[in-house]
Structures are given as C-alpha cells and as structure tokens.
C-alpha cells in the first residue's frame, strides 16, 4: 500500500468486501430504514438480564449473519478488529470470547467501524498465504446500545433526565463487515454469495484521522465535538488523493446529526465547497428525527455501522452508488475528563468504497 | 507478510525498531530497574491536578523522548497506535490530542504494547512511498497509572482497602516504540541514533491472540485471568513458526506476576515443556515484590511497555539477547461485568524480536 502522508493510504490491490450484516433494536427498525436490517430484535433486552449482555448479543448476531452471507466460518477469519463504546470494550470482548477468532481490540468511540475496517483492509491487503485462500479474510465489528451507553456516559436511565435539543440518541445497533484480499480464491465462490449484488465493493483508499478538539465541554453535544474532526479527515483525504468532494456520489459521515452536519457544511463553505449536495449523515437517516423524538439525530458506534450495512453498501453493490467516501466520526468523550473540566476530543476515519 | 493462520503472521521484510523510550513514576524507579528508564517522575502527580492528566503526561514524555532518540519529528510518524487502561483510553487520546499524528486507538488492556506494536509493524512493513522515506514510520504507545487504575477498577484510593496476596500493583509507567520499514532510508541515519547499540532489533513475526476465559471472577487475581491466554498465544506462535520454547533466548510475558507465572509453568509442563528456564515476566522484575510490598507483582499496560523499553530492548541491541518472544498479556476486566457475575476474559499478543 502507498502511504500518502497525513494518515492517507492507497491500496494497490484493494481489499474487497465479502459480506456484511446489521443487527438492530426495535426503535431502529421502526424508522426510515425499516426492514433493511438483517436482524431486528423485538425488544431491546434481547432476552438478556443486562443491557451490556444485550449489546454483546447484538454483535454476535451481526457476526453470525455476516459469516453466513459470506459463506465462511469463524475459522476462515484471520483476525477480527472490534470495539465499542462500553468501558473496556466489553460489548466486543464478551461477544468474541465465544469464538476462536484472533481479536485485536479497537477504541475509536463512534468512529470504530471505519477504524476497524481500515485495519481489516490493511491486514487483508498485506497478507498472503500461497496455497491457502482462507486466511486473507478479516472482519470488522462494532456495536452500541442506548441503554448501556446512556447510563455509562450521562445519567441513569431511571433518572429520566430531560434531553437537550443538541443531544443525540445512541443507536441500539451492531454491524459486521468481512473483507478479503481481492486476489483471494474466495473471489470465485463469493460471486454466488447472497450479500453480493451486481457489483463488488472495493476499499481503494483510507485516511486514519488525527484528533481535533474544538473545546466542546457539553456531553450532550457530540455533533459539535466531532464536526471539526470530520472536516479535517475529509479534507485530508481529498487533498492526498487529488480528488474533489464532487467526485464522490456520496460523502457519508457517521453520526454528526443535525448540529454537527450544519457545522461541517459551514467549515467546507469557507473553502468554497458546498458539501450538502452529496452528503449523507448516518445519524440523520437512521431515525425520523421528529416523529421518533431523537432530537439532533442518532449516534453510537452502531449507528454508522448498521446504516453502512443496511443502506450504503447495498446501494453500492446494486451499482446505484459507484464511489463513496465513508467517514465515521467519534467523540472520545470521557465522563471523568469532562467532570475534570476537560473538553472532548473528536476523531474521524475515512474509507473510499467503490463499485467494481 | 505471510499469514500462517490462528493469528500468526511472518514478515518477509521485517519492520525494524528505530527507537524506544520509557517514562515511570518514583516507585518504579526505586526497584530493580532503577536508573534504566529514560524519564522518572519525582512524584506520581507529575505536577498535574488529576491522576488521569498525570498519566497522559507520562505518555507525552515517552513519546517525546522516543522521537528525540530516533532523530525524527512528529510529522515523520505516519500513524500512532495507542491505548491504555482508562475508560475511553483517555490516557492516550489526551496525550496524542496535542500532536498532529494520525491516531488509531487500541484496547487490549495490559496487552496493549504488543497489540499496538504488531499494528505498527504491519503498517510499516506494508506501506511504501517511493521517493519519500519519512512515511513508513509508525509508533506504538501505552501507559498505566496506579492511582487512576485502582480507583477505576477496584476501590477509591482513600478507602485504603487491604490488598489480597494475589493482587498486583498497577505500574505508573509509559512506553513508546517507534518502528520503520527496514527498507526505509532511515536505516542509514539511524545507525548513529543514541538508542541503537551494536545490533538492530527486527520484528520477524507476531501472533494476534484470541480470548481465553478460564472463569476467574476475582478482580484481584489478574494473573490467573491472563495465564491461559499467555499459554494459548505462546503455544500458537511456537506451532505456527515451527519453533520450540528453547529456541528463544528469552520468552517474556507482560504481567502475569507470581500467580500467573506459576499457572503458565504448570500449563506448559503438561506439554512436557519446562518454561521456567528461559522465561521472564515483566510483572516480576519491575518491582522487588517483597521489599516494595506489591504482593504478586506489577501489572498495567505500562508494566510490559516500560520493562520492554528499559530492560528487554537494550539487552537485544547490545547483542546479549538475540531472539526474544515478547508476549504482553491483558485481562479484559470490566467492573460492570464482574458486578454482573461475569468472569474475566484474558488475551495475549506476541512479537518475535531479534538482533540483526
């Protein structure tokens, strides 16, 4: 892979997406993307006795279905890159504990799907094993749960705190994407895979973001904390790859919501770029903001992960979208640091997805 | 790189360690490795008004000194892979926030130095940039702090809880390792680098571990929670690389301590392997267990990171050790999950370091 500097890499032999799956809670399956998810729980406990265990079970479902759709088994996965919002990333460790897949834990807050998928792409792209096609396959997995996140980051659910207009609703959702080296012999068998439409999805380039902190101290305004990082990462990616915003059919951000998306437009407008025309924010399309009363939109690692798997990737495999810049955004927010008067660092990681 | 399956990879063109640095607190610099650290704080607050900020400052010192010793600047680092024990990995995000280095957040508990260094090695090994030698450099960084960890994972410091015999003392320490592609033009300039002795250190192979959970539910017995993972990862690495334990001058584990090391010996003994003869545990040599009253030994991400940088790598660069298997171990322990009656998953990642 070619390192273009400032976090941008270009894959000469791009990793290809073998399969993907989403798993969500009932509220998520009652919004604009209803019926597009691979798994939708009837209630957000998933029959578990804690929210944390329910979140792990969402992940397990996403992983299980992605494996099924890709026609591969756990033992075919060389490494799984995964993380989530819970302290010590327990959503991931307790779901992956029940597998035998080598596990690299990630922490990128809501940017985790992009971060994990970049790592999986680098791993698949870079590794080869003559005579054995199985082990160039890697997976990216993440999740969030409204109930486990709210009580950890903000207030106990029973407290019934009033939500501010800038607040976002943490998605109860998980997503799993499995990638393989494009040279892998799996290319042949995967053509018949259920998850592949007319087009294959390749990951041509990526940008690992740097931390941008705009001084936001409000734990109920994640969009503002992340917008600067989204601007930085998208700008860096465009510059390093010599592309313009208009070259993409869609520029996707993770969960900026209404507040963060507005700030992002303002930042690009200063550069003379009108981003709004081809921009979509996962946090703006997972829920109906007014009807579902989610204030500024959706958030959480599972937001961009599930929207990617239920909406973005299917539109690329169908050929409707040919060239997409997927930028998941994360607010590295710690209640401890906010209580100490610190501001909230933001980060964003981007992947270029193309129909092939 | 060649994927051997079960998490093991072999680098055809191994990444090389450009420089490394350790930063510790006063208790750590009062033990058997006294005077070997690059930076030792006079008191564990480092002049900060919170333990979390003190931990970030330890990281900053390790990074700053590693950059100095390697003769490189922040802008030369393509990506930094970092994580720590604090919720949301704030030790890392708040230290890296003040740089412009692209950042990939990791969570591997006390295995973080090995996990991050594997990622940095994969990145350096796999990326090239014709005509520009700078951007094949990547860094791995981690830390822990006794005071920030104890209150987060166990009890408030002021509570003065009695420590059990199996308890380990979280190291107040940070470590940073900078790697480069062995083909990089930096090879020439680095020969004069302070941190390089007679020998260069290459990372020839690595094993990304899988989660092993032996059912331990005691938050004061991390060694037992990690020993099974260490056994699994070391065994996998030996099998995949066709090597025997006796082929290594030293097999290093991260922070199994007295209890975990004993369990590891028993597990290998069942395979007819006497590991004790060439095994060293960082958690057993950072402190004088009796004099410094640390019960079963040291632990924390900073334990294996600082011992690696202060003791293991210098002995490889001097040529005293020629072939080392460095296996950092992590207990993915969550107070929330332990309170819910769950057991503690363990993980271990390994790197083969050789003098060249």
């Amino acid at each position: 892979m070619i390192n273009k500097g400032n976090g941008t890499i270009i894959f000469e032999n791009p990793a290809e997406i073998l399969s993907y799956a989403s798993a969500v809670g009932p509220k998520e399956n009652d919004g604009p993307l209803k019926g597009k998810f691979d798994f939708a729980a009837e209630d957000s406990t998933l029959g578990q006795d804690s929210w944390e265990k329910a979140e792990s079970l969402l992940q397990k479902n996403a992983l299980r279905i992605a494996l099924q759709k890709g026609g591969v088994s756990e033992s075919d996965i060389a490494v799984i890159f995964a993380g989530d919002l819970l302290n010590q990333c327990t959503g991931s460790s307790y779901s992956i504990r029940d597998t035998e897949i080598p596990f690299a834990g990630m922490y990128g807050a809501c940017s985790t799907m992009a971060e994990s998928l970049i790592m999986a792409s680098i791993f698949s792209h870079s590794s080869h094993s003559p005579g054995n096609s199985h082990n160039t396959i890697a997976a990216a997995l993440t999740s969030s749960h409204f109930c486990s996140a709210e009580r950890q980051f903000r207030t106990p659910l029973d407290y019934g705190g009033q939500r501010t207009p800038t607040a976002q609703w943490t998605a109860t959702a998980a997503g799993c994407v499995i990638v393989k080296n494009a040279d892998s012999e799996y290319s042949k068998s995967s053509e018949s895979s259920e998850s592949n439409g007319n087009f294959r999805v390749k990951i041509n380039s990526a940008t690992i973001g740097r931390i941008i902190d705009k001084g936001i101290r409000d734990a109920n305004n994640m969009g503002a904390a992340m917008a600067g990082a989204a601007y930085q990462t998208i700008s860096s990616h465009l510059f390093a790859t010599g592309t313009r915003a208009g070259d993409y059919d869609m520029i996707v951000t993770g969960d900026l919501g209404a507040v963060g998306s507005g700030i992002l437009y303002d930042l690009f407008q200063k550069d003379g770029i009108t981003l709004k025309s081809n921009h979509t924010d996962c946090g703006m399309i997972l829920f109906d903001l007014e009807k579902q009363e989610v204030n500024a939109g959706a958030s959480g690692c599972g937001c961009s992960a599930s929207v990617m798997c239920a909406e973005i990737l299917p539109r690329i495999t169908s050929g409707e979208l040919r060239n997409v810049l997927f930028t998941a955004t994360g607010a590295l927010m710690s209640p401890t640091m906010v209580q100490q008067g610190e501001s909230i660092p933001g980060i964003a990681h981007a992947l270029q997805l193309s129909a092939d």
Side-chain angles (χ1 to χ4, degrees), chain A:
Chain A
M1 65 200 195
I2 302 167
N3 190 329
K4 302 287 284 184
N6 288 319
T8 302
I9 47 177
I10 293 175
F11 297 109
E12 298 110 322
N13 176 22
E16 183 184 322
I17 292 179
L18 177 64
S19 65
Y20 48 87
S22 57
V24 299
K27 187 182 177 90
E28 289 67 22
N29 197 37
D30 196 32
L33 304 182
K34 183 174 184 165
K36 294 188 174 181
F37 303 102
D38 296 286
F39 172 91
E42 288 184 17
D43 77 276
S44 57
T45 68
L46 281 86
Q48 301 298 299
D49 60 9
S50 80
W51 303 120
E52 288 75 15
K53 290 176 188 173
E55 182 172 341
S56 279
L57 190 50
L58 266 188
Q59 274 203 16
K60 282 187 192 180
N61 278 297
L63 173 60
R64 176 180 55 79
I65 299 168
L67 289 169
Q68 277 173 2
K69 289 169 75 176
V72 289
S73 63
E74 281 181 12
S75 61
D76 295 322
I77 309 293
V79 188
I80 189 161
F81 297 88
D84 55 85
L85 285 176
L86 296 179
N87 294 340
Q88 294 84 48
C89 298
T90 55
S92 305
S93 55
Y94 283 84
S95 75
I96 295 167
R97 181 181 64 171
D98 294 337
T99 75
E100 295 197 345
I101 308 174
F103 166 49
M106 303 278 122
Y107 187 75
C110 306
S111 74
T112 302
M113 177 44 85
E115 184 190 358
S116 301
L117 194 47
I118 292 171
M119 295 303 144
S121 302
I122 292 173
F123 193 92
S124 289
H125 167 276
S126 304
S127 68
H128 65 93
S129 177
N132 186 348
S133 61
H134 282 221
N135 47 17
T136 53
I137 299 175
L141 176 65
T142 189
S143 65
S144 56
H145 194 298
F146 176 77
C147 300
S148 62
E150 281 306 303
R151 73 171 174 186
Q152 178 183 288
F153 285 108
R154 293 174 190 94
T155 54
L157 289 173
D158 320 53
Y159 179 74
Q162 183 99 5
R163 297 169 61 77
T164 68
T166 58
Q168 293 174 241
W169 190 278
T170 305
T172 298
C176 180
V177 179
I178 298 177
V179 298
K180 64 183 177 66
N181 189 309
D183 278 348
S184 162
E185 289 171 26
Y186 263 91
S187 300
K188 289 172 191 165
S189 60
S190 69
E191 279 170 16
S192 61
S193 165
E194 182 207 354
S195 71
N196 285 283
N198 296 320
F199 292 88
R200 297 184 295 181
V201 185
K202 291 202 170 176
I203 298 165
N204 297 79
S205 58
T207 294
I208 297 169
R210 60 186 181 87
I211 294 178
I212 302 292
D213 189 328
K214 292 290 192 187
I216 305 294
R217 288 178 165 75
D218 178 1
N220 289 301
N221 195 354
M222 296 292 95
M226 296 186 286
Y231 169 76
Q232 164 68 33
T233 296
I234 296 169
S235 298
S236 276
H237 192 88
L238 297 178
F239 180 80
T241 56
T243 55
R244 290 171 307 173
D247 293 339
Y248 299 88
D249 298 330
M250 189 185 275
I251 292 179
V252 184
T253 50
D255 53 350
L256 295 179
V259 176
S261 294
I263 297 171
L264 184 68
Y265 298 157
D266 288 347
L267 290 168
F268 272 104
Q269 205 61 60
K270 285 181 188 164
D271 295 341
I273 297 169
T274 304
L275 198 74
K276 199 172 183 174
S277 54
N278 61 339
H279 170 256
T280 297
D281 183 67
C282 300
M284 295 288 283
I285 63 172
L286 179 58
F287 296 122
D288 183 315
L289 272 56
E290 283 195 20
K291 276 190 198 164
Q292 294 187 285
E293 295 183 346
V294 297
N295 299 14
S299 68
C301 304
C303 172
S304 61
S306 64
V307 172
M308 181 189 213
C309 294
E311 174 72 6
I312 311 296
L313 290 175
R315 289 177 68 185
I316 304 176
T317 56
S318 74
E320 186 193 340
L321 299 171
R322 304 295 296 263
N323 191 20
V324 169
L325 188 62
F326 176 83
T327 312
T329 42
L332 304 169
M333 198 269 278
S334 149
T336 303
M337 300 309 289
V338 169
Q339 284 162 16
Q340 289 178 15
E342 267 294 347
S343 53
I344 302 165
I347 198 158
H349 304 292
L351 292 139
Q352 186 207 347
L353 305 167
S354 68
D356 185 58

